[in-house]
Amino acid sequence: MTKFTNEEMQEKYLAKKAKVLLHHPQGMGNYFTFHAAAEILGIDGHALAIDGAYNVNAPGYYDMGYMANLIGPPQSAIDAMIKATNKELLSVYPPDISGELREIVAKKKFHREIGEDFDVMGVEGAQGGIGYAYLTFLDPGDEIIVTDPGYFHFSPSAESIGAVIKTVELNEENQFRLKPEQVEAVITDKTKMIVVCDPINPFGTIQTKEELLEIARIARERDIIIFNNITHNTHHVDETVEQIPMASLHSEEHPMDHVISTSGTSKGYGMPAARVGFLAGHPALLRGAFLIKMETTKIHINYQGQMGAIAAMKDKEYLEKSTEIIKRNLKHIQETVAMVEGVKIPILPKYGFSMIIDVSETGATAQEITVGLLKRKVVVTPGDGLGERGATEYIRLNYSFPDIVAFEALRKALPEAIAEAKEGVYREGVIKFYEKVGSTRGKEIIEKLKSMN
């Protein structure tokens, strides 16, 4: 009997939605990560990510690429989860989310009251919010507006169900924010959703109140859903500005019942393993999302995680201390960038712990520098997984590491990695990675790398 190749098996058996992701430039495994860098260095990437983790958790490495709160959860959350772990509570299906958690999330994260025009449901982290929102509101052929660069999973997830991506480029001209006039310029009669990620991953910038109101008006007049992802809004690093959840702008003059919002506990409270997230909006629309969830995963949010989330959101001391750590780290990176020739910060973040450094003037690509940094046990993420813009020029950093030693390691490693990368020693390895992936973006990066030889 004939034995099929991997490619033949995929072609024969995979659904179209899965095939879309096989070579998608933002599909997991198709953009450059520490696994690709490790292979070039002759290191077993799986040995760096112990027990199949998505982050590097091997001793002696500093992972500034993985986008979780590296400070970890407050002790109050751990204590609450331990207290809630017993035979009685583990032997029954929990509620979607408890009444107390629903009220706290509505007020603390979305600045709304639970009522006839607003409610909150539980999802498996903000990532679950993305998936359920797309499945609930997007049909094949619908257009969805996202930023470029933007969060890894905004585009491939939508395209896998047949939606069409329309992008608004983030750059110096628009101060790395969604400008209403630029959003309006790409709207067509097929536009169904606008993704407003605020703070914006990867830059940490925020929208103004005026911008949010105008985007909401534009969308409402055209029956377009807004998906407002605010998962990075917990840590306030620039106190001269204030992030505003779109849901909180609801009024008779400015109705926000076409806004679906999501947040979670991974970024703000260091609890990614708990998988506690929230989808919020008008109950009539959440009803659709709830049914989609029940008929696909039927997963209730675990009770222990819910209790931990309640405790974490009440812990003001944790929030203050973790914010100070993040501010300290940002200052350290600013000082480091000022010391390294050819590196700059395109814009300083306002919230969260996601930022970009621009290496376009170093004479090497972000991918090559990523390899050089991994050699020195510093882990980062280059820009090709985030979009077309900055694909080889941007490096995204997570600056929430609790120990300053991680940032001292970056300070020492960055100029050394750049100097090594400029020699082209990793160029062929990066080219081979993208040849194997076979994505359109990868082919463009290959051409750029070859032109540098």
Side-chain angles (χ1 to χ4, degrees):
M1 189 173 289
T2 303
K3 183 178 180 180
F4 297 134
T5 66
N6 291 345
E7 291 76 13
E8 288 171 337
M9 289 180 65
Q10 290 169 341
E11 182 59 33
K12 286 177 180 292
Y13 298 121
L14 291 182
K16 289 181 180 179
K17 61 178 67 69
K19 291 178 183 177
V20 166
L21 302 177
L22 288 177
H23 302 290
H24 195 290
Q26 287 170 275
M28 184 165 284
N30 295 339
Y31 49 85
F32 204 87
T33 67
F34 72 88
H35 281 290
E39 186 174 345
I40 292 170
L41 293 170
I43 301 172
D44 180 3
H46 298 291
L48 300 179
I50 301 169
D51 285 337
Y54 288 123
N55 62 307
V56 173
N57 54 7
Y61 284 83
Y62 304 106
D63 192 339
M64 298 182 184
Y66 187 57
M67 200 46 60
N69 183 341
L70 302 174
I71 294 169
Q75 186 61 44
S76 59
I78 297 172
D79 294 341
M81 287 189 279
I82 291 172
K83 184 178 180 181
T85 304
N86 55 54
K87 179 181 177 180
E88 287 72 27
L89 292 173
L90 287 171
S91 62
V92 296
Y93 289 109
D96 170 44
I97 56 173
S98 72
E100 182 181 9
L101 181 56
R102 178 178 278 108
E103 294 284 349
I104 289 174
V105 170
K107 293 176 183 177
K108 200 166 189 70
K109 302 307 294 182
F110 303 114
H111 302 176
R112 287 282 296 276
E113 297 283 344
I114 298 294
E116 63 179 18
D117 58 359
F118 189 77
D119 204 355
V120 179
M121 64 178 271
V123 292
E124 301 87 327
Q127 183 68 53
I130 296 170
Y132 294 127
Y134 284 2
L135 288 171
T136 303
F137 299 105
L138 295 176
D139 287 315
D142 286 343
E143 292 180 353
I144 173 173
I145 298 172
V146 302
T147 62
D148 183 356
Y151 177 54
F152 297 97
H153 304 298
F154 283 146
S155 292
S157 179
E159 289 185 86
S160 71
I161 56 177
V164 177
I165 300 297
K166 304 295 284 288
T167 60
V168 174
E169 183 182 291
L170 301 180
N171 51 39
E172 293 82 358
E173 185 179 341
N174 56 27
Q175 298 175 301
F176 301 92
R177 304 202 306 263
L178 270 178
K179 294 295 185 179
E181 62 271 20
Q182 292 179 304
V183 172
E184 192 165 27
V186 296
I187 289 175
T188 73
D189 58 1
K190 295 181 179 179
T191 304
K192 184 64 181 296
M193 179 181 285
I194 302 168
V195 174
V196 181
C197 187
D198 183 32
I200 290 176
N201 180 352
F203 296 101
T205 51
I206 62 169
Q207 302 291 147
T208 67
K209 178 180 179 180
E210 292 72 25
E211 289 166 346
L212 293 174
L213 287 172
E214 182 61 10
I215 291 171
R217 182 195 65 78
I218 291 168
R220 187 173 178 82
E221 288 180 354
R222 295 162 174 80
D223 297 329
I224 297 170
I225 284 285
I226 292 176
F227 181 61
N228 185 211
N229 186 325
I230 62 168
T231 190
H232 279 271
N233 79 338
T234 306
H235 295 100
H236 194 175
V237 296
D238 183 348
E239 295 178 2
T240 66
V241 296
E242 190 74 29
Q243 190 271 347
I244 303 171
M246 290 189 81
S248 69
L249 296 173
H250 181 74
S251 67
E252 285 190 17
E253 184 182 0
H254 303 290
M256 295 289 160
D257 49 17
H258 60 312
V259 174
I260 296 295
S261 306
T262 195
S263 187
T265 59
S266 301
K267 306 301 185 292
Y269 306 100
M271 297 171 55
R275 306 313 303 135
V276 178
F278 318 103
L279 201 61
H282 196 285
L285 298 182
L286 285 191
R287 172 67 177 160
F290 176 79
L291 289 171
I292 288 289
K293 177 184 175 184
M294 290 303 295
E295 299 309 320
T296 52
T297 63
K298 290 185 171 66
I299 296 176
H300 298 259
I301 307 308
N302 74 82
Y303 186 79
Q304 292 69 32
Q306 293 190 43
M307 295 302 102
I310 290 170
M313 290 185 192
K314 290 180 177 179
D315 197 328
K316 294 181 180 179
E317 183 180 1
Y318 168 82
L319 181 57
E320 291 172 0
K321 288 184 176 180
S322 58
T323 300
E324 286 308 309
I325 289 170
I326 289 168
K327 286 181 177 180
R328 176 205 66 186
N329 296 344
L330 176 59
K331 182 179 179 182
H332 198 283
I333 291 175
Q334 287 179 259
E335 293 170 352
T336 296
V337 168
M339 297 175 184
V340 183
E341 186 177 356
V343 182
K344 61 184 178 181
I345 300 171
I347 193 164
L348 285 171
K350 311 299 183 185
Y351 273 78
F353 46 80
S354 174
M355 69 179 297
I356 288 291
I357 62 171
D358 185 331
V359 297
S360 59
E361 297 177 9
T362 61
T365 62
Q367 287 73 13
E368 294 168 287
I369 295 170
T370 295
V371 181
L373 286 171
L374 183 66
K375 181 180 177 181
R376 293 159 178 83
K377 298 189 175 182
V378 175
V379 185
V380 300
T381 301
D384 62 290
L386 300 167
E388 292 284 350
R389 179 173 173 82
T392 58
E393 296 81 26
Y394 287 167
I395 290 176
R396 189 184 71 171
L397 296 178
N398 175 345
Y399 57 98
S400 68
F401 211 98
D403 194 335
I404 199 68
V405 68
F407 301 92
E408 295 289 357
L410 175 66
R411 180 168 294 178
K412 183 177 186 299
L414 185 57
E416 295 176 1
I418 290 171
E420 192 172 57
K422 285 171 65 175
E423 298 298 319
V425 294
Y426 302 127
R427 199 155 295 162
E428 189 58 35
V430 176
I431 289 172
K432 287 181 179 178
F433 168 77
Y434 288 112
E435 285 176 341
K436 182 170 62 176
V437 168
S439 69
T440 303
R441 188 171 303 157
K443 292 173 184 176
E444 293 172 354
I445 292 172
I446 289 171
E447 290 304 311
K448 177 168 183 174
L449 287 162
K450 286 182 176 179
S451 71
M452 296 170 69
N453 289 330

